[in-house]
Amino acid sequence: MHAGPPVPPARGAGDIPVHERHPCPTVGSQAAVENRVPMVTEEVAREALLSFVSSKCCYGRAAAGDLVIQKLKQQTLCRYRLETFTESRISEWTFQPFTNQSVDGPQRGTSPRLWDIRVQVPPMFQEDMRKFQVPHSSLVKGCHKCRGRGRYKCSGCHGAGMVRCPSCSGAKRKAKQSRRCQMCSGSGRRRCSTCSGRGNKTCATCKGEKKLLHFIQLVIVWKNSLFEFVSEHRLNCPGELLAKAKGESLFKDESTMVYPIVDFPLREISLASQRGIAEHSAALASRARVLQQRQTIELIPLTEVHYWYQGRTYVYYIYGTDHRVYVADYPEQYCCGCTII
């Protein structure tokens, strides 16, 4: 496998010169970060639940309309994401039927090295895979499957074109019947359905052309590797929902190579940035060329809503800036066919 130049290793905060350190978003303290997202009010909490219930065919609206909200517990989380967009290249021999097309072989020059072949790169951070024929690598050979004949003996009839009648098993008459078999008209044989009675089949490898064009194929894969971290929270909402939640952008940095964030108010975010960059560098440097990196920090609001309905207390969660709802136990469920998201 051919790979591009190695990615410079990620550096710790103490190894980064002052002029290269990332400017942290001007947000002040941790409290200032948490206050960037508006608080969820009782009205907003009720409307979010009503909207969620309306999207579920087996959830009743009465509870959502009549519940009494007792307490709102809100916490703002930070989600750190690192994306590393890479390009990897490998070469492999392949072939196709030779139809007398022009042959770009070694007589036209030396094949370029894989990383010297210029191709159009897709938009950054959009994964793709393409295949190209390496210049001056083609040569023509007889088909190895049919040995250059373009056809091969049918495996169903072994070249005879006829097979034993499946109805009478070749006896010309069915067992315990005096009249001849109607399926084979008393011949005991039927035309082979595999080759339509020809006794041979067109070679599927060369499509009957008898020759193959062999060439080196360049396979390029553009991949977007993702490292993701959500800051610790004290509420009982599934982490996989928070990883996909819509957030408010707080910080974005994009470059050929980004450096760790070292002075964010939440230390766990700074540590996640250092860890993510180090992991991507170690995993990708030896097998791919890094084209672009992007790291972002988003604020994810999370609210735990405690409410009372018909003598019992229930809880649901509102997460993301678009007020998505997670319900673990809703009082009016008529079936279990809905997926809670």
Side-chain angles (χ1 to χ4, degrees), residues 33-48:
V33 171
E34 294 177 349
N35 291 333
R36 288 285 295 267
V37 179
M39 297 289 290
V40 170
T41 64
E42 289 190 12
E43 181 181 359
V44 170
R46 188 184 300 275
E47 287 299 322

Side-chain angles (χ1 to χ4, degrees), residues 17-230:
V18 174
H19 70 278
E20 289 185 354
R21 295 190 182 189
H22 272 306
C24 190
T26 308
V27 294
S29 65
Q30 179 175 338
V33 171
E34 294 177 349
N35 291 333
R36 288 285 295 267
V37 179
M39 297 289 290
V40 170
T41 64
E42 289 190 12
E43 181 181 359
V44 170
R46 188 184 300 275
E47 287 299 322
L49 182 61
L50 282 168
S51 177
F52 170 79
V53 168
S54 297
S55 68
K56 304 296 179 182
C57 62
C58 54
Y59 277 44
R61 289 178 56 89
D66 298 338
L67 61 84
V68 176
I69 294 178
Q70 298 175 314
K71 182 171 58 175
L72 298 173
K73 292 176 61 178
Q74 182 159 320
Q75 182 179 356
T76 300
L77 314 176
C78 285
R79 180 176 59 209
Y80 171 81
R81 279 179 176 156
L82 171 67
E83 296 171 271
T84 301
F85 187 60
T86 58
E87 177 181 321
S88 61
R89 298 188 176 194
I90 61 172
S91 61
E92 58 187 16
W93 278 101
T94 188
F95 56 80
Q96 64 187 38
F98 177 62
T99 56
N100 294 320
Q101 66 265 46
S102 176
V103 179
D104 181 15
Q107 70 277 6
R108 295 191 178 182
T110 303
S111 295
R113 294 179 299 179
L114 295 190
W115 286 100
D116 291 337
I117 300 175
R118 303 187 65 176
V119 299
Q120 182 67 40
V121 178
M124 291 296 167
F125 308 106
Q126 292 187 20
E127 295 189 342
D128 198 1
M129 189 272 286
R130 298 180 198 165
K131 298 179 180 181
F132 302 90
Q133 184 172 327
V134 174
H136 317 320
S137 67
S138 301
L139 55 100
V140 179
K141 292 182 178 181
C143 178
H144 57 275
K145 184 70 174 180
C146 63
R147 299 181 181 179
R149 293 191 291 266
R151 309 184 73 82
Y152 58 88
K153 186 185 294 186
C154 175
S155 60
C157 63
H158 304 288
M162 303 292 287
V163 295
R164 188 167 56 182
C165 175
S167 180
C168 65
S169 300
K172 303 181 181 180
R173 290 180 173 83
K174 288 189 177 182
K176 299 181 181 180
Q177 291 186 7
S178 58
R179 60 182 181 177
R180 63 183 182 179
C181 175
Q182 293 182 345
M183 182 173 287
C184 62
S185 300
S187 67
R189 312 281 288 173
R190 281 184 60 82
R191 186 172 63 176
C192 177
S193 60
T194 303
C195 63
S196 300
R198 292 190 299 268
N200 55 62
K201 294 189 70 175
T202 301
C203 178
T205 301
C206 68
K207 308 295 191 236
E209 299 294 340
K210 302 181 181 180
K211 295 181 180 180
L212 296 172
L213 177 70
H214 293 257
F215 58 90
I216 298 175
Q217 183 171 250
L218 168 63
V219 182
I220 304 181
V221 177
W222 290 278
K223 181 175 177 59
N224 192 40
S225 299
L226 175 65
F227 173 90
E228 197 166 56
F229 173 81
V230 178

Side-chain angles (χ1 to χ4, degrees), residues 146-321:
C146 63
R147 299 181 181 179
R149 293 191 291 266
R151 309 184 73 82
Y152 58 88
K153 186 185 294 186
C154 175
S155 60
C157 63
H158 304 288
M162 303 292 287
V163 295
R164 188 167 56 182
C165 175
S167 180
C168 65
S169 300
K172 303 181 181 180
R173 290 180 173 83
K174 288 189 177 182
K176 299 181 181 180
Q177 291 186 7
S178 58
R179 60 182 181 177
R180 63 183 182 179
C181 175
Q182 293 182 345
M183 182 173 287
C184 62
S185 300
S187 67
R189 312 281 288 173
R190 281 184 60 82
R191 186 172 63 176
C192 177
S193 60
T194 303
C195 63
S196 300
R198 292 190 299 268
N200 55 62
K201 294 189 70 175
T202 301
C203 178
T205 301
C206 68
K207 308 295 191 236
E209 299 294 340
K210 302 181 181 180
K211 295 181 180 180
L212 296 172
L213 177 70
H214 293 257
F215 58 90
I216 298 175
Q217 183 171 250
L218 168 63
V219 182
I220 304 181
V221 177
W222 290 278
K223 181 175 177 59
N224 192 40
S225 299
L226 175 65
F227 173 90
E228 197 166 56
F229 173 81
V230 178
S231 61
E232 184 178 354
H233 64 93
R234 300 174 297 277
L235 305 180
N236 193 27
C237 186
E240 60 269 19
L241 298 180
L242 301 176
K244 300 176 182 178
K246 185 176 181 181
E248 178 184 329
S249 178
L250 182 65
F251 175 69
K252 180 180 179 180
D253 175 46
E254 184 175 326
S255 182
T256 304
M257 180 177 66
V258 299
Y259 292 105
I261 298 168
V262 296
D263 55 356
F264 192 74
L266 290 178
R267 186 169 180 271
E268 56 182 328
I269 294 297
S270 295
L271 293 176
S273 174
Q274 295 173 31
R275 186 169 67 253
I277 291 173
E279 286 183 9
H280 276 199
S281 177
L284 303 173
S286 62
R287 57 186 177 86
R289 174 178 289 176
V290 175
L291 302 182
Q292 196 81 345
Q293 285 188 310
R294 177 169 64 194
Q295 59 180 347
T296 59
I297 301 174
E298 295 173 281
L299 300 180
I300 309 297
L302 174 62
T303 303
E304 185 178 75
V305 183
H306 295 252
Y307 68 95
W308 182 90
Y309 180 72
Q310 291 187 351
R312 285 188 58 188
T313 298
Y314 299 87
V315 175
Y316 67 93
Y317 296 89
I318 302 172
Y319 62 95
T321 54

